Amino acid sequence: MSDPELGDVFGPSGDGDDPELVQLLTPEGERREHPDYAADLDDEAIAGLYRDLVLTRRIDTEATALQRQGELGIWASLLGQEAAQIGSGRAMLPQDFAFPTYREHGVAWCRGVDPLYLLGLFRGVDQGGWDPRETGFGLYTIVIGAQTLHATGYAMGLQRDGVVGSGDESRDAGVIAYFGDGATSQGDVNEAFIWASVFNAPVVFFCQNNQWAISEPIERQTRIPLYQRALGFGFPGVRVDGNDVLACYAVTQAALRRAREGSGPTFVEAYTYRMGAHTTSDDPTRYRLNDELDRWKAKDPIARVKAYLHTTTAADDQFFEGVEQEADELATHVREGCLGMPDPHVLDIFDQVYAEQTPELAEQKEQYAAYLSSFEGAH
Amino acid sequence: MAQITMAKALTNGLRAAMEADPTVLIMGEDVGKLGGVFRVTDGLQKDFGEERVIDTPLAESGILGTAVGLAMRGYRPVCEIQFDGFVYPAYDQIVSQVAKLHFRSQGKLPMPIVVRIPFGGGIGAVEHHSESPEAQFAHTAGLKVVAVANPVDAYWMIQQAVASDDPVVFFEPKRRYWEKAELDESVEPVPLHSSRVVREGNDVTVLTYGPMVKTALEAAIAASEEGRSLEVIDLRTLSPLDMGPVAASVRKTGHVVVVHEAVVNLGMGAEIAARISESCFYSLEAPVLRVGGFDTPYPPSRVEEEYLPDLDRVLDAVDRSLAF
Ligand SMILES: Cc1ncc(C[n+]2csc(CCOP(=O)(O)OP(=O)(O)O)c2C)c(N)n1
Ligand SMILES: [Mg+2]
């Protein structure tokens, strides 16, 4: 029952020689042309993406450190996936909506969600404190794949509201469903593909293929490149260099435009790599080799943008220093905000369960409050 | 004699079951090289091979659905669900297929499947990682349900569950995985579906299982310092229930407190209280009281210590029962 040679099937791992892989910026920082995709971004906008990438990584580094110091219960690092998230997140318009997993800290950043909300969830203060409607960014979803159906239903709602294919670019909206390579095995995800296809829903299925689902390599989930599955469901699939922020931006923008204009779903496979552990609870030395990590280090999503900005002199030292300083300030905000986060009160959980409180639960709350107050002054 | 953790006892129990019967398979997410996120299957793939210890695609319905087919071919799949909150994608297969195939086939298709579920809270986890869904399975005819509380039981009960020709949903209290005890393999185990008195007492019977057994025992020690004698019963089997030891205890004490982490509403305590009132009505000196989770979703971890039943809440119920 050994695996067949899968190298041919999977193609090279994102080094730009794969004709199927959309790449607009090489790991060395050189721009590339693609017949179908171009990033309509000037150097200033690219510098903006660089800033997003650096700040997002800094949030991640700080959160990981806070977890190590016992301030968070757990943290799911996005290290290595910044370009996939910033590229796709910045391709969204304000009226679009994203349905994330638990790792989309970069997309959250693009949607203007204060990182402290993300930390609150991983600290155990709440289960997602931001306002999904205000930010266009759904709650983190830990049950693998469930959000892909929510995204599809939301997209069906947009269709009914007349904000798909109306021709009014300021109103027409689309949806992005984020999920991982492992998630593609779930029934929910496959059902979402069918729904979206049959109803021509304006949804982009954005799969970050980071090569791993905890300890299981991608070969455990598929025997064909993931993006090729889309064809079987009846919509286009495209594989993009997930470490190339320009390509991720361009491909997602095209897919979202397609969605907004009423042409239906697209599957985007962002070919990337989980550089860190699955979460801070995980120990990847048990199941993967370091040389794989080293190969991907050479494709770092931030280094190539920096190289581009440097060699083209699109940005100077002052710019890079400014971004570093901003990152330091953001790290301070994250750290101090985390340490200063008030703990929730147990009695509040009773009020959150129903839109219309039940007498039973109200009584339970009262009884528990009385019980708790019986301890007051005891020690 | 060496001390052994519950996690390790389960590993050893699974190893013994696999050695005893070549049809035993292990299936689940990350159970191979990683040995499961709690390391319960640690080393088993190395020793028994990828044919018998299967890292499955990430799909719980797939795990249980294919287990049904494998069982029809004479295999004994032991399915690991990574966390309690992730069993629901498999719920349909468990409830509508695994539980009913013996019945529908008039016994021609037994389903010797074990579904291992790490359950309960207290580990500071994010949502869906701390739930106690046992009553939902106990409520389903065709399934047997057990919960382990200590390493010795873990070692034997997992082997007994694997040997069972009926499907067994096997609950493992994740916050007790690293608790240790001495395991003497020469001591014969009691039958799988039996409850056991784990501390004798005369004043109040405390019925519990899984993670709360330790809490109840601690409560019993605290109570004894105040001159109150609690009898603690580890139910171990939730479906079928073993009411024999329960009834004997209730006839002695006349006072009963049922403790579990799961929400009180329609939890195991509800069924147990009804059974006691049916069979021991004249022995009761107070209503059966229940201590459990509130009827809310499991809360964020920063308040879980206040949400979970603890020693004080058990003692509070004991006081209320005795004061009745
Ligand atoms: C339904 C369900 N089953 C199992 C899990 C446990 N789990 C959490 S993350 C994960 C792997 C996910 O892999 P992938 O979809 O590739 O996303 P990644 O973590 O790599 O971003 C698993 C199995 C879960 N959260 N939900
Ligand atoms: Mg993955």
Side-chain angles (χ1 to χ4, degrees):
Chain A
M1 214 168 58
S2 69
D3 289 329
E5 278 302 317
L6 290 167
D8 293 347
V9 177
F10 283 88
S13 36
D15 59 5
D17 294 337
D18 177 359
E20 305 286 343
L21 186 82
V22 180
Q23 190 182 66
L24 300 176
L25 188 67
T26 68
E28 293 72 37
E30 284 157 20
R31 300 281 298 256
R32 284 236 180 138
E33 298 287 323
H34 190 279
D36 302 324
Y37 299 99
D40 56 355
L41 299 166
D42 59 18
D43 283 345
E44 197 184 330
I46 294 174
L49 293 177
Y50 173 80
R51 173 180 170 271
D52 288 333
L53 293 167
V54 170
L55 296 185
T56 301
R57 182 170 287 184
R58 184 60 74 88
I59 293 165
D60 194 71
T61 311
E62 199 60 32
T64 301
L66 282 162
Q67 194 283 333
R68 293 280 174 247
Q69 291 154 17
E71 297 297 335
L72 303 181
I74 192 172
W75 179 252
S77 168
L78 64 20
L79 191 67
Q81 299 176 222
E82 295 89 348
Q85 298 192 13
I86 297 299
S88 59
R90 286 296 178 211
M92 294 177 72
L93 294 178
Q95 67 267 31
D96 296 331
F97 200 101
F99 284 82
T101 70
Y102 39 81
R103 208 188 286 287
E104 268 66 74
H105 320 317
V107 185
W109 171 257
C110 295
R111 301 307 287 174
V113 174
D114 188 323
L116 284 176
Y117 283 120
L118 312 177
L119 270 82
L121 188 155
F122 289 99
R123 186 174 167 88
V125 166
D126 57 38
Q127 294 168 344
W130 61 94
D131 186 335
R133 286 213 170 81
E134 215 161 80
T135 54
F137 187 70
L139 291 187
Y140 272 6
T141 302
I142 291 172
V143 178
I144 299 294
Q147 76 282 3
T148 57
L149 280 164
H150 309 162
T152 305
Y154 190 97
M156 291 165 66
L158 294 177
Q159 287 174 316
R160 276 149 187 76
D161 292 345
V163 290
V164 179
S166 77
D168 179 351
E169 282 182 21
S170 68
R171 287 178 67 232
D172 279 348
V175 182
I176 305 189
Y178 287 91
F179 54 104
D181 44 291
T184 61
S185 295
Q186 281 287 9
D188 274 7
V189 175
N190 287 273
E191 290 174 26
F193 292 163
I194 289 167
W195 248 252
S197 174
V198 165
F199 296 109
N200 207 40
V203 55
V204 177
F205 293 109
F206 194 92
C207 177
Q208 288 167 82
N209 176 0
N210 64 7
Q211 315 299 327
W212 292 91
I214 309 187
S215 74
E216 298 192 359
I218 179 67
E219 293 82 2
R220 188 52 33 168
Q221 318 292 343
T222 187
R223 294 222 162 180
I224 61 161
L226 289 173
Y227 75 98
Q228 289 182 10
R229 285 199 189 160
L231 196 62
F233 287 96
F235 49 89
V238 51
R239 179 184 271 184
V240 57
D241 180 348
N243 287 14
D244 172 355
V245 71
L246 301 186
C248 288
Y249 175 84
V251 167
T252 310
Q253 187 184 55
L256 274 172
R257 280 190 181 141
R258 229 179 83 81
R260 293 186 206 109
E261 75 187 25
S263 301
T266 305
F267 183 110
V268 178
E269 177 187 359
Y271 203 77
T272 181
Y273 193 74
R274 195 193 79 207
M275 294 297 289
H278 170 69
T279 65
T280 45
S281 307
D282 179 37
D283 173 12
T285 62
R286 291 178 71 102
Y287 54 81
R288 72 181 189 187
L289 299 169
N290 268 335
D291 57 337
E292 185 179 282
L293 199 66
D294 291 340
R295 266 188 289 127
W296 280 93
K297 256 187 199 145
K299 297 173 196 162
D300 184 77
I302 301 184
R304 67 178 77 183
V305 187
K306 188 168 194 179
Y308 169 79
L309 293 172
H310 248 306
T311 42
T312 59
T313 65
D316 54 14
D317 287 348
Q318 203 189 338
F319 166 78
F320 290 114
E321 279 160 27
V323 172
E324 280 316 306
Q325 195 187 331
E326 224 187 319
D328 290 343
E329 286 161 14
L330 182 60
T332 307
H333 167 69
V334 165
R335 168 163 295 271
E336 287 177 357
C338 176
L339 299 180
M341 225 175 259
D343 273 338
H345 197 286
V346 69
L347 292 177
D348 292 339
I349 66 172
F350 294 89
D351 301 326
Q352 265 167 244
V353 185
Y354 298 107
E356 199 179 317
Q357 180 63 306
T358 67
E360 281 178 345
L361 199 52
E363 192 185 328
Q364 241 179 53
K365 177 183 176 179
E366 240 170 66
Q367 282 171 355
Y368 191 44
Y371 168 82
L372 288 177
S373 63
S374 73
F375 288 89
E376 263 158 36
H379 350 252
Chain B
M1 197 163 299
Q3 296 265 320
I4 187 170
T5 64
M6 180 184 290
K8 187 78 182 145
L10 287 164
T11 314
N12 292 355
L14 286 167
R15 178 182 296 282
M18 294 186 81
E19 278 164 356
D21 182 348
T23 67
V24 175
L25 307 176
I26 288 179
M27 310 169 66
E29 295 154 9
D30 307 290
V31 297
K33 264 193 193 153
L34 186 63
V37 295
F38 292 108
R39 309 290 185 261
V40 168
T41 56
D42 190 23
L44 296 180
Q45 189 181 64
K46 191 168 136 277
D47 295 343
F48 294 96
E50 291 182 26
E51 296 265 347
R52 293 188 66 194
V53 180
I54 306 166
D55 264 337
T56 67
L58 205 178
E60 289 75 10
S61 182
I63 296 171
L64 264 296
T66 56
V68 168
L70 284 159
M72 288 173 64
R73 288 294 303 176
Y75 289 95
R76 290 180 176 270
V78 181
C79 301
E80 175 174 304
I81 298 294
Q82 205 159 77
F83 283 90
D84 34 60
F86 307 141
V87 70
Y88 301 110
Y91 195 61
D92 173 56
Q93 287 289 345
I94 296 173
V95 169
S96 297
Q97 306 300 333
V98 175
K100 295 188 173 75
L101 272 163
H102 183 273
F103 185 77
R104 282 159 56 203
S105 68
Q106 293 119 48
K108 290 190 275 295
L109 297 177
M111 284 289 130
I113 293 171
V114 176
V115 187
R116 292 183 38 241
I117 307 180
F119 83 126
I123 62 160
V126 289
E127 52 187 334
H128 313 294
H129 291 74
S130 304
E131 299 178 3
S132 298
E134 61 273 15
Q136 305 190 41
F137 296 96
H139 189 64
T140 301
L143 299 177
K144 291 179 176 172
V145 182
V146 302
V148 294
N150 62 69
V152 178
D153 276 355
Y155 177 72
W156 291 115
M157 287 170 74
I158 190 64
Q159 293 180 67
Q160 293 167 324
V162 173
S164 167
D165 286 334
D166 288 311
V168 178
V169 185
F170 193 93
F171 283 98
E172 303 168 4
K174 64 175 84 81
R175 70 164 135 154
R176 307 291 185 219
Y177 270 142
W178 316 116
E179 304 265 334
K180 289 184 176 174
E182 268 175 22
L183 172 63
D184 179 353
E185 290 177 36
S186 66
V187 177
E188 276 287 299
V190 296
L192 179 60
H193 297 292
S194 60
S195 299
R196 212 169 50 194
V197 176
V198 288
R199 181 185 169 107
E200 291 190 9
N202 299 311
D203 297 336
V204 177
T205 300
V206 179
L207 302 173
T208 188
Y209 55 88
M212 283 289 121
V213 173
K214 182 172 188 227
T215 308
L217 287 170
E218 286 166 357
I221 291 168
S224 74
E225 283 157 15
E226 291 170 12
R228 280 171 179 172
S229 156
L230 307 190
E231 177 144 300
V232 179
I233 295 184
D234 177 0
L235 292 169
R236 297 177 4 117
T237 179
L238 306 181
S239 181
L241 283 168
D242 177 21
M243 292 304 289
V246 174
S249 181
V250 175
R251 289 195 187 103
K252 179 168 66 174
T253 64
H255 295 268
V256 189
V257 173
V258 190
V259 184
H260 50 60
E261 282 188 29
V263 295
V264 167
N265 187 29
L266 288 173
M268 290 306 304
E271 178 61 25
I272 291 162
R275 299 257 191 124
I276 290 171
S277 82
E278 285 164 4
S279 60
C280 309
F281 188 71
Y282 291 106
S283 306
L284 284 176
E285 289 168 34
V288 177
L289 296 181
R290 291 171 291 166
V291 177
F294 301 107
D295 295 330
T296 71
Y298 197 87
S301 61
R302 298 288 282 198
V303 288
E304 72 179 335
E305 294 305 332
E306 290 162 281
Y307 173 89
L308 287 167
D310 61 4
L311 183 147
D312 285 326
R313 279 175 61 201
V314 175
L315 292 179
D316 173 65
V318 165
D319 287 347
R320 283 186 285 128
S321 175
L322 288 172
F324 185 79

PDB file of all heavy atoms in Angstrom, chain B residues 96-109:
ATOM      1  N   SER B  96     -26.792   6.542  12.626  1.00  0.00           N
ATOM      2  CA  SER B  96     -27.706   5.927  11.652  1.00  0.00           C
ATOM      3  C   SER B  96     -27.179   4.633  11.053  1.00  0.00           C
ATOM      4  O   SER B  96     -27.957   3.831  10.537  1.00  0.00           O
ATOM      5  CB  SER B  96     -27.996   6.903  10.506  1.00  0.00           C
ATOM      6  OG  SER B  96     -28.656   8.040  10.989  1.00  0.00           O
ATOM      7  N   GLN B  97     -25.869   4.436  11.089  1.00  0.00           N
ATOM      8  CA  GLN B  97     -25.302   3.238  10.467  1.00  0.00           C
ATOM      9  C   GLN B  97     -24.681   2.303  11.520  1.00  0.00           C
ATOM     10  O   GLN B  97     -25.149   1.195  11.715  1.00  0.00           O
ATOM     11  CB  GLN B  97     -24.269   3.630   9.399  1.00  0.00           C
ATOM     12  CG  GLN B  97     -24.807   4.594   8.343  1.00  0.00           C
ATOM     13  CD  GLN B  97     -25.997   4.047   7.561  1.00  0.00           C
ATOM     14  OE1 GLN B  97     -26.157   2.845   7.400  1.00  0.00           O
ATOM     15  NE2 GLN B  97     -26.857   4.934   7.074  1.00  0.00           N
ATOM     16  N   VAL B  98     -23.620   2.767  12.178  1.00  0.00           N
ATOM     17  CA  VAL B  98     -22.930   1.911  13.149  1.00  0.00           C
ATOM     18  C   VAL B  98     -23.925   1.352  14.171  1.00  0.00           C
ATOM     19  O   VAL B  98     -23.939   0.156  14.466  1.00  0.00           O
ATOM     20  CB  VAL B  98     -21.806   2.700  13.866  1.00  0.00           C
ATOM     21  CG1 VAL B  98     -21.166   1.857  14.959  1.00  0.00           C
ATOM     22  CG2 VAL B  98     -20.756   3.164  12.864  1.00  0.00           C
ATOM     23  N   ALA B  99     -24.767   2.223  14.706  1.00  0.00           N
ATOM     24  CA  ALA B  99     -25.673   1.808  15.783  1.00  0.00           C
ATOM     25  C   ALA B  99     -26.778   0.875  15.301  1.00  0.00           C
ATOM     26  O   ALA B  99     -27.312   0.089  16.078  1.00  0.00           O
ATOM     27  CB  ALA B  99     -26.299   3.041  16.437  1.00  0.00           C
ATOM     28  N   LYS B 100     -27.122   0.925  14.016  1.00  0.00           N
ATOM     29  CA  LYS B 100     -28.345   0.232  13.580  1.00  0.00           C
ATOM     30  C   LYS B 100     -28.110  -0.998  12.713  1.00  0.00           C
ATOM     31  O   LYS B 100     -29.052  -1.741  12.437  1.00  0.00           O
ATOM     32  CB  LYS B 100     -29.252   1.219  12.827  1.00  0.00           C
ATOM     33  CG  LYS B 100     -29.768   2.335  13.711  1.00  0.00           C
ATOM     34  CD  LYS B 100     -30.812   3.184  12.990  1.00  0.00           C
ATOM     35  CE  LYS B 100     -31.468   4.192  13.921  1.00  0.00           C
ATOM     36  NZ  LYS B 100     -30.612   5.342  14.263  1.00  0.00           N
ATOM     37  N   LEU B 101     -26.897  -1.210  12.259  1.00  0.00           N
ATOM     38  CA  LEU B 101     -26.704  -2.288  11.281  1.00  0.00           C
ATOM     39  C   LEU B 101     -26.933  -3.681  11.861  1.00  0.00           C
ATOM     40  O   LEU B 101     -27.455  -4.566  11.170  1.00  0.00           O
ATOM     41  CB  LEU B 101     -25.323  -2.178  10.624  1.00  0.00           C
ATOM     42  CG  LEU B 101     -25.369  -1.273   9.388  1.00  0.00           C
ATOM     43  CD1 LEU B 101     -23.986  -0.812   8.967  1.00  0.00           C
ATOM     44  CD2 LEU B 101     -26.075  -1.978   8.217  1.00  0.00           C
ATOM     45  N   HIS B 102     -26.560  -3.876  13.114  1.00  0.00           N
ATOM     46  CA  HIS B 102     -26.834  -5.177  13.732  1.00  0.00           C
ATOM     47  C   HIS B 102     -28.336  -5.435  13.749  1.00  0.00           C
ATOM     48  O   HIS B 102     -28.819  -6.498  13.371  1.00  0.00           O
ATOM     49  CB  HIS B 102     -26.258  -5.220  15.153  1.00  0.00           C
ATOM     50  CG  HIS B 102     -26.426  -6.538  15.825  1.00  0.00           C
ATOM     51  ND1 HIS B 102     -27.562  -6.876  16.533  1.00  0.00           N
ATOM     52  CD2 HIS B 102     -25.607  -7.620  15.885  1.00  0.00           C
ATOM     53  CE1 HIS B 102     -27.422  -8.108  16.998  1.00  0.00           C
ATOM     54  NE2 HIS B 102     -26.246  -8.582  16.615  1.00  0.00           N
ATOM     55  N   PHE B 103     -29.078  -4.429  14.121  1.00  0.00           N
ATOM     56  CA  PHE B 103     -30.540  -4.529  14.220  1.00  0.00           C
ATOM     57  C   PHE B 103     -31.163  -4.764  12.846  1.00  0.00           C
ATOM     58  O   PHE B 103     -31.965  -5.674  12.642  1.00  0.00           O
ATOM     59  CB  PHE B 103     -31.060  -3.225  14.838  1.00  0.00           C
ATOM     60  CG  PHE B 103     -32.533  -3.206  15.126  1.00  0.00           C
ATOM     61  CD1 PHE B 103     -33.060  -3.864  16.225  1.00  0.00           C
ATOM     62  CD2 PHE B 103     -33.397  -2.487  14.302  1.00  0.00           C
ATOM     63  CE1 PHE B 103     -34.420  -3.827  16.506  1.00  0.00           C
ATOM     64  CE2 PHE B 103     -34.759  -2.445  14.569  1.00  0.00           C
ATOM     65  CZ  PHE B 103     -35.269  -3.119  15.677  1.00  0.00           C
ATOM     66  N   ARG B 104     -30.765  -3.922  11.876  1.00  0.00           N
ATOM     67  CA  ARG B 104     -31.373  -4.017  10.545  1.00  0.00           C
ATOM     68  C   ARG B 104     -31.060  -5.344   9.869  1.00  0.00           C
ATOM     69  O   ARG B 104     -31.857  -5.849   9.072  1.00  0.00           O
ATOM     70  CB  ARG B 104     -30.884  -2.863   9.662  1.00  0.00           C
ATOM     71  CG  ARG B 104     -31.592  -1.557   9.960  1.00  0.00           C
ATOM     72  CD  ARG B 104     -30.776  -0.359   9.478  1.00  0.00           C
ATOM     73  NE  ARG B 104     -30.458  -0.425   8.065  1.00  0.00           N
ATOM     74  CZ  ARG B 104     -29.428   0.217   7.492  1.00  0.00           C
ATOM     75  NH1 ARG B 104     -28.619   0.960   8.231  1.00  0.00           N
ATOM     76  NH2 ARG B 104     -29.219   0.108   6.208  1.00  0.00           N
ATOM     77  N   SER B 105     -29.864  -5.883  10.162  1.00  0.00           N
ATOM     78  CA  SER B 105     -29.474  -7.136   9.500  1.00  0.00           C
ATOM     79  C   SER B 105     -29.852  -8.354  10.333  1.00  0.00           C
ATOM     80  O   SER B 105     -29.423  -9.457  10.029  1.00  0.00           O
ATOM     81  CB  SER B 105     -27.960  -7.133   9.249  1.00  0.00           C
ATOM     82  OG  SER B 105     -27.269  -7.203  10.491  1.00  0.00           O
ATOM     83  N   GLN B 106     -30.643  -8.146  11.357  1.00  0.00           N
ATOM     84  CA  GLN B 106     -31.015  -9.226  12.289  1.00  0.00           C
ATOM     85  C   GLN B 106     -29.778  -9.980  12.772  1.00  0.00           C
ATOM     86  O   GLN B 106     -29.738 -11.200  12.798  1.00  0.00           O
ATOM     87  CB  GLN B 106     -32.005 -10.194  11.632  1.00  0.00           C
ATOM     88  CG  GLN B 106     -33.371  -9.584  11.330  1.00  0.00           C
ATOM     89  CD  GLN B 106     -33.678  -9.606   9.850  1.00  0.00           C
ATOM     90  OE1 GLN B 106     -33.504 -10.634   9.208  1.00  0.00           O
ATOM     91  NE2 GLN B 106     -34.116  -8.495   9.323  1.00  0.00           N
ATOM     92  N   GLY B 107     -28.764  -9.221  13.090  1.00  0.00           N
ATOM     93  CA  GLY B 107     -27.561  -9.813  13.683  1.00  0.00           C
ATOM     94  C   GLY B 107     -26.537 -10.296  12.675  1.00  0.00           C
ATOM     95  O   GLY B 107     -25.460 -10.745  13.051  1.00  0.00           O
ATOM     96  N   LYS B 108     -26.844 -10.202  11.383  1.00  0.00           N
ATOM     97  CA  LYS B 108     -25.891 -10.720  10.387  1.00  0.00           C
ATOM     98  C   LYS B 108     -24.695  -9.786  10.201  1.00  0.00           C
ATOM     99  O   LYS B 108     -23.661 -10.199   9.722  1.00  0.00           O
ATOM    100  CB  LYS B 108     -26.604 -10.954   9.053  1.00  0.00           C
ATOM    101  CG  LYS B 108     -27.577 -12.142   9.118  1.00  0.00           C
ATOM    102  CD  LYS B 108     -28.111 -12.547   7.764  1.00  0.00           C
ATOM    103  CE  LYS B 108     -29.313 -11.735   7.331  1.00  0.00           C
ATOM    104  NZ  LYS B 108     -30.532 -11.902   8.157  1.00  0.00           N
ATOM    105  N   LEU B 109     -24.889  -8.518  10.555  1.00  0.00           N
ATOM    106  CA  LEU B 109     -23.778  -7.564  10.411  1.00  0.00           C
ATOM    107  C   LEU B 109     -23.453  -6.907  11.756  1.00  0.00           C
ATOM    108  O   LEU B 109     -23.862  -5.773  12.026  1.00  0.00           O
ATOM    109  CB  LEU B 109     -24.139  -6.480   9.386  1.00  0.00           C
ATOM    110  CG  LEU B 109     -24.391  -6.930   7.951  1.00  0.00           C
ATOM    111  CD1 LEU B 109     -24.808  -5.730   7.088  1.00  0.00           C
ATOM    112  CD2 LEU B 109     -23.166  -7.602   7.345  1.00  0.00           C
TER     113      LEU B 109
END
